[in-house]
Amino acid sequence: MASVHEAHDVRLDRTVAVKIMHAGLSDSDSDHDFADRFVREARAAARLSHPNVVAVYDQGDDDGTVFLAMELVSGHTLRDTIAKESPMPPARALALIEPVLSALAAAHRAGLIHRDVKPENVLISDEQSGGQVKVADFGLAKAISADTQHTATQGVLIGTVSYLAPELVVEGRADARADVYAAGVMLYELLTGEKPHEGETPIAVAYKHVHHDVPPPSALVPGIPPYVDALVARATARDRALRPADAGVLLHQVHRVSHALDRGVRDDPELTLDLAPHLLTRERDDLDSDAALFADQRLPRDHPEPTTTLPVLGAPTTRPVPLPPRIDQRVDQRVDQRPPQAQPSGPPPRHQPPRVGPTGSGPAGRSRRSRRGPVLLVVALVLALAVGGGAFWYGWARYTAAPTVVGESRAVAIAAVEDADLQIAFAEPVYDSDVPEGAVVSADPAGGAQVLPGDVVTVTLSLGKLIVPEVRDLTEDAAQDELMAVQLEVGESIGRYSETVAADSVLGTVPKAGAELSSGDTVQIVVSLGRRPIKVGSWVGKTLEEATAALERRNLVLQTTEAFDAEVPQGTIISQDPAPGSTRFRDEVVSLVVSKGPEMVEVPRVNLFGVEAAEQALRDAGLVPQRSEEDDYYGLGFVVRTDPEAGTSVPKGSTVTIYVV
């Protein structure tokens, strides 16, 4: 679905990994939905702040190319470790799977499901970086699969087929238990170096996930403790109701198994029984009749070892558990130790008939029955005590109750958990409006739950009320980082013009800074578009009054000059700067040239001037001379009058007629 490149973040000066979606995933109109889903899932994944999750730094769209900027992990994948080290000791396998489950548990608490848990998505940094285990690509499978049909012949199955939970194959639906199943398959692979189900085609492998249990790892690698087999069986149960509810529960069970391994325990029937997912026994109301039948029949020495049934925590059925050898031996001894009967010293009489009592049975029969009754009663009592005591121990006595620490301070929670002989671990803190900062929001297992001494209680502390941070004047990228750092989701940005904040800087948020929200709520960033451009308009040929009123409404400053124009009426705009169609910003100047109308000049007095002198005088005044002879023309060459008369004001350039005699 993507190619990954090493890149440099110039804003924060760091090396990152950029995942670029293949162009084919967002080319068509229908695939715009994919891009939207991808963005939503990327933002959700970015909320995961956990040391074992590959961090998502940023997301963007470059001309239709969707990309993610993520933490760069220099190292290798868990697949490489499996190839080099598997089969590996159980302690090593659990050490590798534990950080994976920790990451998945954080995601499940945040309502996220990975959907594609596999060794290729587990990254392990180089030794110089601490060899840290990190899970990548949260939520991306959901972005692809939202409109995908999960069938064998149409569409695709999201997730590598070797790690698909049966319900994904059959129903196409996933919840946190699908991630648990995939983690269990990975644990099997770490322990054995093999995948539990192989086939010639993906469909064949998927069929086996649905119809075949994952075999115990000890079948391939002898010596693996039974409780490790039981852990794998619980995580990979085909019936998801028998699996741990989420990765946090499985992590708790992994801790119990790790503690047993650390103590060097070769076999722990109690732990094995707790982890075993299946119940293979009869109903409990059959137990008394079975015990009575057992007590009434003398067992031969080669009889199979008797079994009884005990409840298993967290499982809907029970499984057969061998009776302790001491009880078995005691039963046989009590059945065998009947009082010896006196034997006659000589051979019995040849024709001595049996003595028959009133009930038709002889004294010997009465003696056997009288001795057999107490023995059977003792056996029944022993069995009842053994069953009751075992049930009490397995189902109740060995457990302790987890303390209730929700609402308590960190110090009080630590003291309460340690006083209960339990260990405490802290999950990533969360914002909670109802729980004060530093107090406990939740605990897993919850208060009152049955736990074994030494188990881990994972506590989540409150960061207090989630208040929208102030991001004004930051860049949009920096504002996104601030909001995601407090577990808020960033919505679509809003662009607004601002006369005071530079373009691309943040004006604020919706809701505003200081508003109280809940984790995961969406906040929109308001980004400055800079100063609002104002259209100047076209004013040439319009009156000055019209232009003045319009430009003042647009908050532009009007500057005018006047000029004579014989063709443009007075008060009409001759020209403007800037030109029509241009824009200006608020309070900037628009210059207009307004017509004063034609320039008026006075007709000079040229009476008695010679013709040439008169014509020159008129031209000097900006007028156009035109000669005409009087009716009484004598050829003298003198001007006797003008039209218009001398002293009259006329537009400059007007024609003045001179009359000559």
Side-chain angles (χ1 to χ4, degrees), residues 103-115:
L104 293 175
H108 293 169
R109 286 193 297 271
L112 293 176
I113 305 170
H114 192 290
R115 289 177 170 79

Side-chain angles (χ1 to χ4, degrees), residues 222-287:
I224 291 179
Y227 53 82
V228 176
D229 283 345
L231 176 67
V232 174
R234 171 59 66 87
T236 60
R238 284 185 290 152
D239 181 355
R240 60 182 166 193
L242 299 180
R243 282 181 232 144
D246 57 29
V249 178
L250 180 58
L251 180 62
H252 169 68
Q253 295 170 348
V254 166
H255 287 157
R256 295 177 59 193
V257 172
S258 297
H259 293 158
L261 291 172
D262 291 343
R263 296 194 303 268
V265 176
R266 180 66 192 86
D267 189 8
D268 186 340
E270 297 176 4
L271 180 57
T272 303
L273 189 63
D274 278 346
L275 295 176
H278 299 296
L279 300 173
L280 307 175
T281 182
R282 295 180 292 274
E283 295 295 333
R284 190 171 185 80
D285 57 7
D286 293 336
L287 183 62

Side-chain angles (χ1 to χ4, degrees), residues 76-139:
H76 56 281
T77 69
L78 187 61
R79 172 67 62 205
D80 301 318
T81 300
I82 291 174
K84 292 179 181 178
E85 300 184 29
S86 292
M88 60 182 66
R92 168 64 171 160
L94 294 178
L96 287 171
I97 206 68
E98 182 175 341
V100 175
L101 293 176
S102 181
L104 293 175
H108 293 169
R109 286 193 297 271
L112 293 176
I113 305 170
H114 192 290
R115 289 177 170 79
D116 195 15
V117 177
K118 58 185 178 182
E120 287 77 7
N121 280 337
V122 178
L123 310 182
I124 304 175
S125 62
D126 292 329
E127 292 299 330
Q128 54 266 34
S129 301
Q132 194 169 24
V133 177
K134 290 179 176 284
V135 181
D137 285 354
F138 272 92

Side-chain angles (χ1 to χ4, degrees), residues 409-474:
S409 67
R410 176 190 175 100
V412 171
I414 293 175
V417 172
E418 291 180 348
D419 288 346
D421 197 19
L422 301 171
Q423 300 185 49
I424 192 168
F426 290 93
E428 288 296 316
V430 297
Y431 288 93
D432 194 302
S433 301
D434 299 324
V435 180
E437 182 177 0
V440 177
V441 175
S442 63
D444 182 22
Q450 287 187 326
V451 293
L452 292 173
D455 281 354
V456 176
V457 176
T458 302
V459 171
T460 302
L461 297 178
S462 172
L463 293 172
K465 295 181 179 180
L466 199 166
I467 304 298
V468 178
E470 178 62 73
V471 294
R472 183 179 175 86
D473 296 329
L474 298 179

